[in-house]
Amino acid sequence: MVKICCIGAGYVGGPTMAVIALKCPSVEVAVVDISAPRINAWNSDQLPIYEPGLDDVVKECRGRNLFFSTDVEKHVFEADIVFVSVNTPTKTQGLGAGKAADLTYWESAARVIADVSKSNKIVVEKSTVPVKTAEAIEKILTHNSKGIKFQILSNPEFLAEGTAIKDLFNPDRVLIGGRETPEGQKAIQALKDVYAHWVPEDRILTTNLWSAELSKLAANAFLAQRISSVNAMSALCEATGANISQVAYAVGTDSRIGPKFLNGSVGFGGSCFQKDILNLVYICECNGLPEVAEYWKQVIKINDYQKSRFVNRVVASMFNTVSSKKIAILGFAFKKDTGDTRETPAIDVCKGLLGDKARLSIYDPQVTEDQIQRDLTMKKFDWDHPLHLQPMSPTTVKQVTVVWDAYEATKDAHGICILTEWDEFKTLDYQRIYEGMQKPAFVFDGRNIVDAEKLREIGFIVYAIGKPLDAWLKDMPAIA
Ligand code: NAI
């Protein structure tokens, strides 16, 4: 029986391994982590991450051929294939601070593999890593190997949170990069055989190591660039009276461009886009390509601009001050169907409003009060470390309350900011909400999910990203 071990039981390690266990009953899968609370949660009824469909997959395999454990050494020792899916945060100190990937966790995982292995193994990079990481990992492993042979493969993960299980069941492609040697090709084949249990052969792409590593960074950079492109257009739409939905539709019907991922919004978030682009920028700079680095940097700049533009709209519309005003924040996760708040635009928007002394009442169906308070007090990039190594937040933000109901959040509020596109926000009783609010009552739709015209009929002043502005908003221009 093939044995797989995955180091790192996070958003990637947990779901990917659960699906491998489900689809390959003949393979034994152990997911290990240094965080005991995380492993305990994986072994409980309350999984550590929310992802539609995940519970069912885990329930079916756990204890059969899927195991979660803190005994990293034991499971690495037993495995034929070791996936590494640990955090690769942005460095906050030293060389490359603010851009380069911090490979501390990766290196310590590699050293454990080298230390405990007594048989040849395939080591698979699942984490997103800088190009040429495999070479560094190879060196750590071979210099400590005591005669054991390791083959390094790059198998970046393309799942999207919120649709992870769907994506894993039916991936657009699985990418496997390896050495162009007979041993490297043999290792590629072994991993291909695992995926071939459910992924059609023509969707399993094989490349050299560096192409696979770079493809992941490139794919995320392209996706983020699409969002920043639409958002850049949304600012121009507001200035000219064009409508971003109409423009995006017209643009997206060109089959070379395609319709997906073209919604105007308050900006992208999530653990990957910004981090991976910063990483790409750093690699370009290190390779003497400053123009290429500048090009990709702009994608992040537009994203930051979009968030501050949104805050400025809110403040400018409300008579240039939100001091002491209650603002309801609907949605805190970086997108719907996940509880993940890493790099969510809600953090910057809330911080911007708090900077203007607003009082915030926040509701998100999947995010806890503790998480929100941590996010609003944590330093940039600190979130991307294992939970028990993150600094504890010493204080809570007093001007923030977290509630478990959208109606409670909006009661007596002066304005509403919709920051996550949860379906339930589309069908709220806005008439009832309007009646409970201070007047004039504002809705700032950062995801373009409400029917702005209907809300205007009720009496709201509505701002929707990239849509023609209300007369009210036109009279109160926001200078970013
Ligand atoms: P995560 O933070 O949810 O999980 C990482 C886990 O690794 C944590 O539970 C941590 O305790 C554990 N860990 C760290 N060092 C360890 C060690 N030495 N031994 C054992 N466990 C260790 O992170 P997530 O989101 O799963 O991301 C993992 C990697 O996958 C990152 O490189 C990320 O960029 C990449 N990725 C993430 C995607 C996402 O949607 N979240 C999608 C595709 C790639």
Side-chain angles (χ1 to χ4, degrees):
M1 185 185 232
V2 174
K3 285 196 174 184
I4 288 180
C5 171
C6 175
I7 306 180
Y11 284 87
V12 170
T16 50
M17 293 303 125
V19 169
I20 288 180
L22 182 80
K23 299 289 187 182
C24 312
S26 59
V27 174
E28 190 179 294
V29 183
V31 192
V32 296
D33 204 293
I34 42 174
S35 164
R38 223 172 199 182
I39 290 299
N40 291 342
W42 279 110
N43 282 321
S44 76
D45 286 339
Q46 197 67 45
L47 300 185
I49 61 176
Y50 171 71
E51 194 61 63
L54 177 64
D55 280 29
D56 292 341
V57 177
V58 170
K59 262 187 209 139
E60 188 161 341
C61 316
R62 198 172 50 193
R64 182 189 78 184
N65 64 333
L66 175 67
F67 304 92
F68 294 94
S69 166
T70 50
D71 196 343
V72 180
E73 281 86 358
K74 171 178 179 276
H75 290 286
V76 170
F77 169 80
E78 290 177 355
D80 306 294
I81 304 176
V82 182
F83 285 80
V84 183
S85 183
V86 298
N87 321 59
T88 48
T90 304
K91 276 183 89 170
T92 48
Q93 284 177 339
L95 190 65
K99 280 183 276 192
D102 175 351
L103 293 176
T104 312
Y105 303 110
W106 232 108
E107 187 174 333
S108 81
R111 288 185 186 278
V112 170
I113 299 172
D115 281 353
V116 305
S117 294
K118 298 267 184 293
S119 56
N120 297 347
K121 293 192 195 309
I122 296 171
V123 177
V124 185
E125 291 177 342
K126 203 37 143 173
S127 303
T128 305
V129 290
V131 191
K132 296 277 174 179
T133 299
E135 201 163 68
I137 300 304
E138 219 167 41
K139 282 187 185 137
I140 293 171
L141 291 173
T142 47
H143 281 85
N144 295 282
S145 71
K146 298 162 258 153
I148 289 156
K149 295 219 163 51
F150 295 101
Q151 274 302 320
I152 320 289
L153 298 178
S154 166
N155 173 220
E157 185 48 60
F158 294 102
L159 68 80
E161 285 176 32
T163 53
I165 298 300
K166 208 170 114 244
D167 297 344
L168 288 165
F169 278 6
N170 188 22
D172 289 340
R173 78 302 209 188
V174 166
L175 180 58
I176 305 174
R179 287 278 182 198
E180 289 154 312
T181 57
E183 297 80 15
Q185 296 303 304
K186 213 172 135 201
I188 290 179
Q189 190 56 46
L191 187 55
K192 240 179 134 174
D193 290 345
V194 173
Y195 284 107
H197 280 85
W198 79 99
V199 181
E201 173 105 25
D202 60 349
R203 285 202 225 156
I204 305 178
L205 316 181
T206 57
T207 64
N208 74 25
L209 271 172
W210 324 129
S211 299
E213 286 179 339
L214 183 56
S215 297
K216 174 64 190 174
L217 295 181
N220 272 354
F222 275 51
L223 289 168
Q225 181 211 42
R226 243 173 120 86
I227 298 177
S228 280
S229 297
V230 160
N231 283 342
M233 285 299 161
S234 76
L236 190 55
C237 284
E238 287 167 32
T240 57
N243 180 326
I244 192 63
S245 301
Q246 295 172 351
V247 173
Y249 182 75
V251 169
T253 44
D254 185 325
S255 60
R256 291 168 302 176
I257 297 172
K260 290 186 185 163
F261 239 58
L262 284 178
N263 295 328
S265 73
V266 63
F268 60 74
S271 67
C272 296
F273 284 176
Q274 174 170 297
K275 179 178 75 160
D276 293 352
I277 293 175
L278 288 171
N279 191 343
L280 187 65
V281 165
Y282 184 68
I283 296 169
C284 292
E285 286 170 353
C286 291
N287 281 284
L289 301 168
E291 289 81 2
V292 185
E294 266 315 304
Y295 174 75
W296 288 110
K297 236 187 245 175
Q298 201 60 30
V299 172
I300 295 177
K301 281 194 194 158
I302 286 289
N303 198 47
D304 289 338
Y305 165 74
Q306 189 75 346
K307 290 181 273 188
S308 60
R309 209 167 71 75
F310 186 85
V311 172
N312 290 350
R313 277 280 181 220
V314 176
V315 178
S317 321
M318 298 172 83
F319 314 102
N320 247 346
T321 176
V322 287
S323 182
S324 302
K325 290 177 186 164
K326 176 175 170 180
I327 311 279
I329 303 292
L330 298 189
F332 199 83
F334 84 92
K335 62 161 147 171
K336 75 170 180 177
D337 292 339
T338 177
D340 193 356
T341 59
R342 296 177 294 178
E343 284 296 331
T344 174
I347 295 175
D348 285 345
V349 170
C350 288
K351 282 185 175 169
L353 294 172
L354 289 167
D356 224 286
K357 296 204 173 71
R359 289 183 297 122
L360 304 182
S361 184
I362 304 177
Y363 165 65
D364 185 291
Q366 287 296 336
V367 186
T368 61
E369 174 164 13
D370 181 54
Q371 185 63 51
I372 290 173
Q373 285 289 357
R374 289 171 69 89
D375 286 335
L376 293 177
T377 44
M378 223 182 306
K379 283 213 238 77
K380 201 164 172 61
F381 302 130
D382 275 354
W383 51 265
D384 200 6
H385 292 269
L387 208 57
H388 60 291
L389 300 179
Q390 287 173 17
M392 299 306 281
S393 39
T395 49
T396 53
V397 185
K398 289 200 185 56
Q399 307 94 297
V400 170
T401 52
V402 177
V403 296
W404 280 100
D405 175 40
Y407 297 102
E408 183 62 30
T410 54
K411 209 165 96 192
D412 287 325
H414 290 77
I416 300 172
C417 296
I418 300 175
L419 300 183
T420 312
E421 71 280 22
W422 286 105
D423 288 338
E424 65 179 73
F425 299 154
K426 294 180 190 162
T427 52
L428 291 170
D429 181 348
Y430 282 98
Q431 181 69 47
R432 175 179 157 198
I433 287 176
Y434 179 77
E435 280 156 19
M437 285 178 66
Q438 305 280 336
K439 309 294 174 331
F442 297 84
V443 169
F444 303 93
D445 185 359
R447 297 285 178 176
N448 285 344
I449 57 162
V450 295
D451 184 337
E453 276 321 307
K454 261 200 192 137
L455 263 58
R456 286 186 184 114
E457 277 165 28
I458 293 173
F460 284 105
I461 294 160
V462 183
Y463 166 70
I465 301 253
K467 300 290 178 76
L469 296 175
D470 277 14
W472 180 289
L473 293 155
K474 268 193 205 145
D475 293 341
M476 300 202 169
I479 311 295

